[in-house]
Amino acid sequence: MKKRIELIACVGNYKKLSSFSNVEEMNQTVREYKDTIKRSVKRSDVQARLISLIEILKRHSCKYVGVSFMCKNTIADKLEVSYKTIQRLMKKLEDLGMIKQHEMKRHTDMNQTANAIVILPLKEEMTDKDTPLEIEKCPTKTTTNSLKQNINNKRNDVPVSQNKVVKSFSKANFIAHWVPERFADLTSCYYNESQTIHEMWKVVKQCNRVVNYATSERAFTPQQELNIGIRAFKEFVMKVKDNTKMQNKFGYFNGIVNNLMDKLYFDQDFLESC
């Protein structure tokens, strides 16, 4: 008997299924999953397809961080494989504990629609069995006064000047060296927080997908990537000025970058000019 579908495809449910607090947390998890795939999957063709699949799921999971709802036929077209192959690859990712699929139904006619595909967070390994509980015995000749003296000595080991330096570091707002200077100069005109600028550039980097996993070649060169990032951010600024509704600015920016890259990938004039 077929299981009844309980979840309705709506914004509220997509938000509830969201498994990450921000895009960078999801990106880090996917990077870990890619390494796991490389270690655990022996067939190179399956390995490459699994990595391509989880990369596509990640790029379409920015609006509701960690949740995508593309139909399998669309994914199959993007990867240029059959529907059945996508089903098998999805099952493999589920078996590896990397994603979970939720059947959804439309609120209009209550008929089944595309599954919500959730990228799962990394599981924290439990090590209780590996580290047996040991009860430490108190020193026989240690008095309360000597214990207090030891604690005070440890506190005094940290110089006062070092504490001041640590506090000043916590207030620092430097832009990381891996963000191109031109992109940093432009974005810093609108955002003061370096973390926001870092996230914006990470969106550009993750959209520039790998087209050859054997050589790690990406769709665009670093210079082309930078030019696209600048063009995308200018378009993003215009949308903000027009009071365009955005539930997640990084997700919206991700959509702009994706659309630009899809368009410019076949633009010979752009490719030759950079």
Side-chain angles (χ1 to χ4, degrees), residues 55-56 59 78 204-213 216-220 225 258 261-262 265-266:
E55 179 69 25
I56 283 177
R59 289 195 290 110
K78 287 180 177 290
V204 178
K205 294 292 292 182
Q206 76 178 19
C207 288
N208 188 10
R209 57 188 179 274
V210 176
V211 293
N212 188 338
Y213 286 96
S216 297
E217 180 187 357
R218 294 185 176 272
F220 298 96
E225 182 181 77
N258 261 330
M261 286 190 173
D262 289 344
Y265 186 69
F266 301 101

Side-chain angles (χ1 to χ4, degrees), residues 7-10 104-111 113:
L7 291 176
I8 296 175
C10 63
M104 310 291 284
K105 59 184 178 182
R106 291 185 292 268
H107 68 279
T108 52
D109 55 10
M110 293 301 168
N111 288 331
T113 186

